[in-house]
Amino acid sequence: MANIKCLDPGASPLHFFGAEVRRLREQAGLTLAQLGEIVYLTGSMIGQIETAAKTPKDEHIPRIDTALGADGALVRLWEMAKRQRLPSWYQRIAHLEATASEIRVFQAQLVHGLLQTPHYARAVLRVSAHDDLDAAVEARMDRQCILWRDEPPFLWVVLDEAALYREVGGPQVMAGQLAHLLDFQGTSNVDIQVLPFRAGAHAGMKGSFILYSFDDQSDVAYMEGYEEAWATVNRKDVKERSRRYDRLRASALSPMDSAELIARVMEERYEHVPDPRRGPMA
């Protein structure tokens, strides 16, 4: 049959789970569309679960298990698979950003990539010793296109106040970056809050992290380390980080008060007074 993607069950627990779904589906004599109709998913979604291109929601698993007569085997296998790190290709941040309906970010040191100016991004990426710095900056800017789609994801960013003072790229670059953050005032799909120094010890002390939510698959918790990224769909881990994020959001300044702080830092530290007539980006 044409267009059947070969599976590699040994690539990861998620791939093994998908391969078992395909094995049982073919054993039952069902097409992707037929199984999808039984479990209230599209045939395309079933195919992406089988190839580990998407992660199912927990509530999908018992329906698929029953439809394929797995007698609980898929439910048990999913409990194991979701506790493991997602495959490295799945951790590509651009893939997660492009498919998410909501992105919740806590950033402890820097302005998040989706909000960076080209000059700020260049200064950040330069320390990573990219072979082609121009291409790396261009790729980061391309990621930001998702914010201006007809149906953009909702982006909620909590920035530690330290990110406003960390002089990345020099005073002029920082002035431009902070002005860019103020450009998002009034946009319907981006909220920026600043976690002030006076908040003291807080729920993000362990470091930056991101939560990605999707319409048709499990939420993903994501964190970057020195050597590699860490991502999981394990409901316990995602829920723990969601609660941590709620605490951070509650401790942060409101979006309006955050904008006032950003403007004050611009004026006091970078000697740049924002133009009050400045509107949101088109």
Side-chain angles (χ1 to χ4, degrees):
M1 188 178 293
N3 299 322
I4 294 296
K5 182 176 178 180
C6 294
L7 305 184
D8 182 4
S12 73
L14 190 61
H15 284 82
F16 183 77
F17 175 84
E20 282 299 287
V21 172
R22 178 181 287 184
R23 182 183 69 80
L24 291 169
R25 176 180 62 78
E26 292 178 342
Q27 183 176 287
L30 296 173
T31 66
L32 293 171
Q34 287 170 337
L35 176 57
E37 185 175 356
I38 294 171
V39 299
Y40 310 109
L41 295 172
T42 65
S44 175
M45 181 64 181
I46 296 297
Q48 290 177 93
I49 291 172
E50 290 183 355
T51 57
K54 284 191 175 181
T55 56
K57 289 180 176 288
D58 284 353
E59 56 263 32
H60 296 158
I61 306 305
R63 298 201 300 263
I64 296 174
D65 185 277
T66 300
L68 296 179
D71 194 27
L74 288 178
V75 174
R76 294 189 294 272
L77 182 57
W78 176 243
E79 287 300 314
M80 179 194 74
K82 71 181 183 180
R83 282 173 166 77
Q84 309 303 311
R85 292 187 179 188
L86 294 178
S88 58
W89 70 266
Y90 197 101
Q91 297 174 17
R92 290 198 301 264
I93 196 167
H95 168 80
L96 293 169
E97 289 171 348
T99 54
S101 57
E102 181 176 274
I103 304 170
R104 289 170 286 168
V105 177
F106 170 63
Q107 194 62 264
Q109 299 288 342
L110 300 168
V111 173
H112 186 257
L114 289 176
L115 303 179
Q116 292 177 2
T117 66
H119 293 300
Y120 185 98
R122 179 175 294 274
V124 171
L125 293 169
R126 183 179 288 116
V127 301
S128 301
H130 285 272
D131 293 333
D132 190 337
L133 184 57
D134 289 339
V137 173
E138 183 177 355
R140 178 155 297 189
M141 295 302 102
D142 286 346
R143 282 168 42 195
Q144 298 178 3
C145 292
I146 65 168
L147 299 179
W148 316 115
R149 295 187 313 211
D150 289 339
E151 295 185 8
F154 184 79
L155 175 64
W156 202 314
V157 178
V158 176
L159 290 176
D160 193 287
E161 188 174 350
L164 308 183
Y165 289 92
R166 187 174 300 282
E167 201 168 285
V168 175
Q172 188 174 0
V173 170
M174 282 304 301
Q177 178 60 69
L178 297 185
H180 185 56
L181 293 180
L182 294 178
D183 284 337
F184 288 94
Q185 283 183 276
T187 55
S188 60
N189 63 306
V190 178
D191 274 348
I192 300 171
Q193 290 182 258
V194 176
L195 183 68
F197 290 140
R198 68 171 183 267
H202 55 77
M205 298 290 282
K206 292 183 179 180
S208 305
F209 64 94
I210 309 174
L211 294 161
Y212 297 95
S213 296
F214 306 87
D215 293 332
D216 59 355
Q217 60 176 315
S218 298
D219 289 358
V220 174
Y222 179 93
M223 186 184 312
E224 290 185 348
Y226 284 110
E227 300 297 333
E228 61 180 347
W230 176 92
T232 182
V233 293
N234 184 16
R235 177 175 284 187
K236 180 179 179 182
D237 291 333
V238 172
K239 182 180 290 187
E240 188 275 332
R241 282 160 182 77
S242 294
R243 288 173 176 167
R244 191 186 304 177
Y245 195 82
D246 288 342
R247 294 190 188 101
L248 287 166
R249 204 158 53 185
S251 299
L253 302 175
S254 69
M256 183 176 296
D257 289 342
S258 296
E260 291 178 359
L261 175 58
I262 292 169
R264 188 163 64 250
V265 173
M266 287 176 62
E267 181 177 3
E268 295 175 353
R269 187 173 180 90
Y270 303 110
E271 298 180 357
H272 182 93
V273 180
D275 185 347
R277 296 169 297 177
R278 200 177 174 108
M281 294 178 66

